[in-house]
């Protein structure tokens, strides 16, 4: 019985760590999904740089445990 309770609590903790919350940024439409273990940014930035090609940035950034593993923002 005790082993089943421990397994159930562990599964519940994993589920809580993987459920994200959504946050909208006021930079042109960027959406950030934050969970305890990861963060995903769906980037849509307006006026991000001085250069004409940097006027509008789009892409995705993925961080796992705070370490950036994927970035295709262009």
């Amino acid at each position: 019985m005790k082993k089943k309770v421990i397994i159930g609590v562990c599964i519940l903790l994993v589920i809580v760590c993987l459920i994200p919350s959504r946050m909208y940024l006021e930079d042109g439409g960027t959406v950030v999904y934050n969970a305890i273990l990861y963060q995903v940014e769906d980037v849509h930035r307006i006026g991000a740089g001085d250069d004409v090609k940097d006027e509008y940035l789009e892409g995705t950034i993925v961080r796992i445990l705070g370490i950036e593993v994927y970035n295709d923002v262009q």
Side-chain angles (χ1 to χ4, degrees), residues 21-34 39-48 55-63 73-74:
S21 63
R22 187 178 356 192
M23 181 173 58
Y24 297 98
L25 301 181
E26 297 290 331
D27 64 350
T30 299
V31 182
V32 179
Y33 300 95
N34 282 320
Q39 177 181 9
V40 177
E41 294 182 40
D42 187 17
V43 178
H44 296 282
R45 282 190 192 126
I46 297 173
E55 187 64 29
Y56 188 75
L57 295 176
E58 281 189 307
T60 305
I61 301 172
V62 179
R63 292 183 180 99
V73 176
Q74 297 177 7

Side-chain angles (χ1 to χ4, degrees), residues 1-69:
M1 180 69 177
K2 190 174 184 180
K3 187 175 182 179
K4 289 182 182 182
V5 171
I6 292 173
I7 291 173
V9 169
C10 289
I11 290 173
L12 184 63
L13 285 174
V14 168
I15 290 171
V16 167
C17 289
L18 294 176
I19 295 176
S21 63
R22 187 178 356 192
M23 181 173 58
Y24 297 98
L25 301 181
E26 297 290 331
D27 64 350
T30 299
V31 182
V32 179
Y33 300 95
N34 282 320
I36 294 173
L37 297 177
Y38 67 93
Q39 177 181 9
V40 177
E41 294 182 40
D42 187 17
V43 178
H44 296 282
R45 282 190 192 126
I46 297 173
D50 297 331
D51 197 9
V52 175
K53 69 176 184 175
D54 291 335
E55 187 64 29
Y56 188 75
L57 295 176
E58 281 189 307
T60 305
I61 301 172
V62 179
R63 292 183 180 99
I64 298 175
L65 296 174
I67 300 169
E68 190 172 295
V69 295

